[in-house]
Amino acid sequence: MTKHRLQRSAVHRIICGVVAAELRRQRGTDHSGAAEGEWPTSMPIGDDGLGLDSMEQLGALGALAEAFDLDDSLLSDTPPQTVGAWLDWVMQAHVAGDGRMTVATSGSTGSPRPCVHDVDGLLGEAAFLATQFVGRRRVVALVPAHHLYGIIWTALLPDALGVPVVVRAIGAPLGLTAGDLVIAVPEQWQALLRLIRRFPKNVIGVSSAGALNDRVAAGLLTSGLARLVDIYGSSETGGIAMRDVPASGYDLLPRWQLSEHGDEDWRLVDRHGRFWDLPDHVERIDNSTLRLLGRRDGSMQVGGHNVWPERVANTLRTVDGVADVAVRLHAHGRLKAFVVPKPDHDPVQLSAQIEQVIVARLAHHERPKSFRFGPALPRNAMGKLEDWA
């Protein structure tokens, strides 16, 4: 069987996503040109172009080597000077079509963990997805191409469909036209529901990297979105299943089957007979359809990132003057916290202390954006923790 091969156009987009993410890590802020999506291959890397200093250039090389399974033996005698030189380095390593790619996901401690994938498998997934979206004219990318969702849907899929990809950002006109396939995360879809009065005809939306709110999904379809597809997957597995909203059941992608695993539990088995743990507890509807019942590890998605509310709560409990904390997901997609102060501690002063701790110890997506203070955590008549307004 002929292996799928990476195309330069897809690699170009992924390279720009990977380097932009590395610069964001080093600088603590977005690169000024990252929102434009792809830097020209002729763009210099140094002062006359991207403006990377020597340490940042080394960081970019390291990030690309990790992402594309590269080593220095394929580098030329002089360090890369342009974006095109990065691209040539990657393409040379993947010419045989049997390469690997690595993406990172965070564990419960927030430490990045590498997830390695055969490129052939990722391209195979994109080839199947292309059969489900025949007739698209463009892919409109609202997500970057350095994580697996962005890599498959905004780099590999456009090549498989034979259509261009355009990068857009919420806050500027999207310029959607008939035949567009819009790739976004749930928080972006929530914003688009409020920003777009009426979608053009024949626009399809795709959502992943978190639970898609049913109310938001229904509103988008009412606003004229022709179809909204919700993708279930993970950084470890890639895409697992998909559903057309408003269906509650997810249909497995062809590479997967469900296998019994203990008492009323399931795991995945791929076409090579390898077993994979599901991120969620699931209900098996039939041989190829499942329903999600909730995360196994207690995490949730905020802005496309895994977040563990109990880890956040434990961090807040270290603040002097905090007796107890509960953390939940707010309706607007960010975390909220209910704080019980210790006796004789003023909530106003405590708020300032809490703010200092969360800035120092929590990532942006982990920081609660809404706080409520009270003498005890809200519980129902059975003593079970309940939600709060």
Side-chain angles (χ1 to χ4, degrees):
M1 182 176 66
T2 303
K3 287 183 177 292
H4 301 286
R5 302 225 176 151
L6 282 172
Q7 302 299 311
R8 287 184 69 90
S9 56
V11 172
H12 186 188
R13 172 159 169 74
I14 299 168
I15 282 174
C16 294
V18 168
V19 173
E22 172 64 16
L23 293 178
R24 183 163 54 248
R25 183 190 69 81
Q26 292 192 42
R27 298 178 179 181
T29 185
D30 284 332
H31 185 276
S32 58
E36 299 171 8
E38 292 180 12
W39 303 306
T41 56
S42 59
M43 174 76 75
I45 295 167
D47 292 338
D48 296 333
L50 297 182
L52 276 61
D53 63 27
S54 59
M55 293 299 293
E56 290 171 335
Q57 291 184 38
L58 291 177
L61 284 176
L64 291 173
E66 291 172 351
F68 288 98
D69 195 31
L70 310 175
D71 62 50
D72 66 345
S73 65
L74 296 176
L75 288 168
S76 62
D77 293 336
T78 58
Q81 300 296 312
T82 64
V83 172
W86 283 337
L87 180 54
D88 291 340
W89 182 34
V90 175
M91 294 306 300
Q92 185 179 356
H94 285 267
V95 67
D98 57 358
R100 300 187 302 174
M101 288 192 64
T102 299
V103 296
T105 187
S106 59
S108 58
T109 63
S111 301
R113 179 165 50 84
C115 301
V116 182
H117 296 269
D118 292 334
V119 169
D120 187 60
L122 298 179
L123 290 168
E125 181 175 327
F128 165 74
L129 294 172
T131 67
Q132 308 302 298
F133 296 96
V134 175
R136 295 301 90 196
R137 296 176 58 190
R138 298 189 307 180
V139 169
V140 179
L142 273 65
V143 300
H146 68 276
H147 53 62
L148 200 55
Y149 177 41
I151 287 170
I152 292 173
W153 286 87
T154 75
L156 304 185
L157 179 63
D159 275 349
L161 287 170
V163 301
V165 56
V166 295
V167 177
R168 295 288 186 266
I170 295 178
L174 298 188
L176 299 179
T177 62
D180 281 345
L181 181 67
V182 183
I183 313 300
V185 297
E187 292 79 8
Q188 292 171 327
W189 284 118
Q190 186 173 20
L192 290 179
L193 176 60
R194 304 179 71 183
L195 285 169
I196 296 179
R197 302 274 73 80
R198 190 75 186 170
F199 285 91
K201 292 183 178 180
N202 194 25
V203 171
I204 295 177
V206 176
S207 182
S208 191
L212 181 63
N213 182 279
D214 289 340
R215 179 190 60 80
V216 171
L220 290 164
L221 293 173
T222 300
S223 297
L225 203 60
R227 180 184 175 198
L228 182 54
V229 180
D230 187 18
I231 306 298
Y232 174 51
S234 71
S235 297
E236 293 85 356
T237 61
I240 294 173
M242 58 193 292
R243 69 179 177 121
D244 270 60
V245 176
S248 61
Y250 289 78
D251 296 321
L252 290 171
L253 271 59
R255 64 178 290 208
W256 300 114
Q257 290 183 335
L258 286 176
S259 174
E260 289 186 88
H261 185 54
D263 185 26
E264 296 184 358
D265 200 5
W266 304 90
R267 59 181 173 175
L268 295 169
V269 58
D270 65 21
R271 56 176 56 122
H272 302 293
R274 297 174 297 190
F275 290 97
W276 302 76
D277 291 331
L278 283 156
D280 292 70
H281 295 287
V282 303
E283 173 190 356
R284 177 183 176 276
I285 298 175
D286 57 39
N287 287 339
S288 60
T289 309
L290 54 85
R291 183 178 292 113
L292 306 184
L293 301 179
R295 294 280 299 196
R296 295 177 184 272
D297 59 5
S299 71
M300 55 185 58
Q301 291 273 333
V302 175
H305 298 273
N306 287 338
V307 171
W308 282 260
E310 190 57 26
R311 166 181 136 78
V312 176
N314 285 335
T315 300
L316 299 183
R317 291 185 186 112
T318 67
V319 178
D320 184 34
V322 172
D324 204 357
V325 180
V327 175
R328 287 199 170 188
L329 189 66
H330 198 286
H332 57 46
R334 301 299 297 269
L335 295 183
K336 63 180 180 179
F338 193 106
V339 179
V340 180
K342 290 180 179 178
D344 301 324
H345 280 76
D346 177 49
V348 175
Q349 294 181 350
L350 198 54
S351 293
Q353 293 175 256
I354 289 172
E355 181 66 21
Q356 291 176 353
V357 169
I358 65 175
V359 169
R361 297 180 55 186
L362 297 176
H364 289 285
H365 49 274
E366 294 179 301
R367 298 172 188 173
K369 293 297 181 179
S370 172
F371 287 88
R372 182 174 170 185
F373 293 83
L377 295 179
R379 297 186 184 277
N380 60 23
M382 301 294 292
K384 184 177 179 180
L385 187 68
E386 63 180 3
D387 203 1
W388 61 93

